[in-house]
Amino acid sequence: MLDLAGTLHAWAEEGRDFAVATVVAVGGSAPRPPGAALAVDSGGAAIGSVSGGCVEGAVYDLCRQALRDGEPLTERFGYSDEDAFAAGLTCGGTIDVLVVPYSAGQPVHEAALSAAADGEPVALARVARGPAGLLGRALLVRRDGSYEGGLGGGAELDHTARAEAGALLDAGRTGTVELSEDGTRCPGGVTLLVESAVPPPRMIVFGAIDFAAALVRAGRFLGYHVTVCDARPVFATRARFPDADEIVVDWPDRYLRRTGTDARTVLCVLTHDAKFDVPLLREALRRPAAYIGAMGSRRTHEDRERQLREAGVGTRELARLRSPIGLDLGARTPEETAVSIAAEIIAQRHGGTGAPLTGTAAPIHRPVRQALPA
């Protein structure tokens, strides 16, 4: 739901009634993760997706039903060889969908949509499975620990839900939480879907070169907030990097020391110049980041690794470095190289092998390991 916050907030301000179908659980090979949503307004307009196309028509009808009845409902979609024309997932997996109608005067949902649309970090916990009277009830948790709403199951359930939602918000993750109706952390009574809305993850590209310009475009396409950093003002310009969110003229290691990174941050070192690379990577390998890659030949990498060891970087830290950067795609042009680097970032994020899907038995859709760019 929160991934559609911009449009849904506008609908709410216009006084439109609408229903939102949200994926709350997946099994096997399913195309969209928990949190993916499709919304339908009272006029029949639709936005979003829960399956990439397989069951959109059936989910659309469920949203219309929820709008008519004014009650939340749940539905499971899977694949059935016995009824090839039934609405189902052709990929063979299953998804559970929660459909909730919304209208004016629901302050928790209005506050959640407003905050997410404004870029404020928030988590929205909703009852996806449990007693009928609790289904769809919501609790909004903010980064400072304040909250709005309640799940209708008592103070202890709300207290535990706030703690669980706050933890997922801190991690920037969307997921489900199993609790008992009395609020203890025992599965069986209530399933909460906790959606986290957080700012986009950062991609910092060091080195204002042609390859960086192509990577900036790829990073923006993947949903990153992209910064370009280079010590040379003649190269680090808006004219050369019109797609960057931010351009910084500074020595790379100095800039990295004074900026924030977290477990979602991607650091791409494209300078392949030892006087920049070594102090920069020494700093990078000692701080939180999802991916750290460095451009250069194998000979450059070996020499750079030797210098990093001499600078006190340990074996465990060096194991985090992806160098030479990117997957083996045979890339030559800046654009092809950017695809190679982006592919490695995606593979590391989701635990992919980088091997062709043809001839492999690995699942196509893997469980989400960390949050997607918002």
Side-chain angles (χ1 to χ4, degrees), residues 115-321:
D118 290 341
E120 178 188 349
V122 292
L124 181 66
R126 290 184 290 162
V127 178
R129 184 185 63 82
L134 304 188
L135 193 64
R137 295 289 293 268
L139 178 71
L140 174 66
V141 177
R142 302 181 187 273
R143 181 61 61 81
D144 62 5
S146 61
Y147 65 95
E148 299 177 40
L151 303 181
E156 287 302 318
L157 179 59
D158 284 353
H159 176 77
T160 306
R162 291 199 305 270
E164 296 289 345
L168 284 168
L169 177 59
D170 288 342
R173 292 183 53 234
T174 289
T176 55
V177 177
E178 299 284 343
L179 302 175
S180 292
E181 290 183 46
D182 61 4
T184 57
R185 290 176 170 85
C186 298
V190 174
T191 299
L192 302 181
L193 173 70
V194 180
E195 296 179 75
S196 294
V198 294
R202 299 189 67 195
M203 172 185 283
I204 308 177
V205 181
F206 298 96
I209 63 176
D210 289 346
F211 289 91
L215 183 57
V216 166
R217 293 193 294 272
R220 285 289 300 273
F221 177 74
L222 292 176
Y224 287 93
H225 180 281
V226 184
T227 299
V228 176
C229 176
D230 196 294
R232 304 165 297 175
V234 69
F235 294 110
T237 65
R238 177 57 62 185
R240 285 171 56 83
F241 298 97
D243 298 303
D245 294 291
E246 182 182 22
I247 299 172
V248 175
V249 178
D250 200 351
W251 280 79
D253 62 305
R254 183 167 60 190
Y255 170 69
L256 187 58
R257 283 196 299 272
R258 64 180 177 83
T259 195
T261 66
D262 59 26
R264 302 186 301 152
T265 304
V266 166
L267 303 175
C268 298
V269 180
L270 308 187
T271 48
H272 53 87
D273 184 329
K275 68 177 179 289
F276 294 112
D277 291 359
V278 173
L280 171 60
L281 288 170
R282 182 174 57 189
E283 175 67 24
L285 292 168
R286 293 174 175 172
R287 59 168 52 224
Y291 174 91
I292 303 171
M295 179 175 279
S297 67
R298 298 192 186 281
R299 181 174 178 178
T300 298
H301 168 68
E302 291 172 0
D303 184 59
R304 185 165 49 208
E305 186 179 67
R306 176 185 57 78
Q307 293 185 61
L308 286 168
R309 290 187 182 278
E310 291 174 354
V313 178
T315 300
R316 176 177 292 183
E317 294 166 330
L318 282 171
R320 301 178 62 202
L321 178 60

Side-chain angles (χ1 to χ4, degrees), residues 18-204:
F18 55 89
V20 181
T22 307
V23 176
V24 297
V26 300
S29 182
R32 301 297 309 279
L38 182 147
V40 179
D41 77 352
S42 54
I47 59 169
S49 172
V50 295
S51 70
C54 304
V55 299
E56 307 302 299
V59 174
Y60 179 91
D61 290 340
L62 289 175
C63 287
R64 300 281 286 182
Q65 177 184 335
L67 282 168
R68 288 193 305 270
D69 299 343
E71 296 291 337
L73 56 96
T74 61
E75 186 69 48
R76 170 169 291 183
F77 293 94
Y79 180 77
S80 173
D81 288 325
E82 292 151 3
D83 189 355
F85 295 99
L89 298 180
T90 57
C91 54
T94 61
I95 60 171
D96 292 338
V97 176
L98 169 69
V99 185
V100 180
Y102 298 97
S103 58
Q106 295 179 304
V108 177
H109 299 104
E110 290 175 1
L113 293 173
S114 176
D118 290 341
E120 178 188 349
V122 292
L124 181 66
R126 290 184 290 162
V127 178
R129 184 185 63 82
L134 304 188
L135 193 64
R137 295 289 293 268
L139 178 71
L140 174 66
V141 177
R142 302 181 187 273
R143 181 61 61 81
D144 62 5
S146 61
Y147 65 95
E148 299 177 40
L151 303 181
E156 287 302 318
L157 179 59
D158 284 353
H159 176 77
T160 306
R162 291 199 305 270
E164 296 289 345
L168 284 168
L169 177 59
D170 288 342
R173 292 183 53 234
T174 289
T176 55
V177 177
E178 299 284 343
L179 302 175
S180 292
E181 290 183 46
D182 61 4
T184 57
R185 290 176 170 85
C186 298
V190 174
T191 299
L192 302 181
L193 173 70
V194 180
E195 296 179 75
S196 294
V198 294
R202 299 189 67 195
M203 172 185 283
I204 308 177

Side-chain angles (χ1 to χ4, degrees), residues 7-27:
T7 299
L8 295 183
H9 179 53
W11 285 2
E13 288 194 318
E14 293 168 6
R16 298 197 213 180
D17 293 342
F18 55 89
V20 181
T22 307
V23 176
V24 297
V26 300

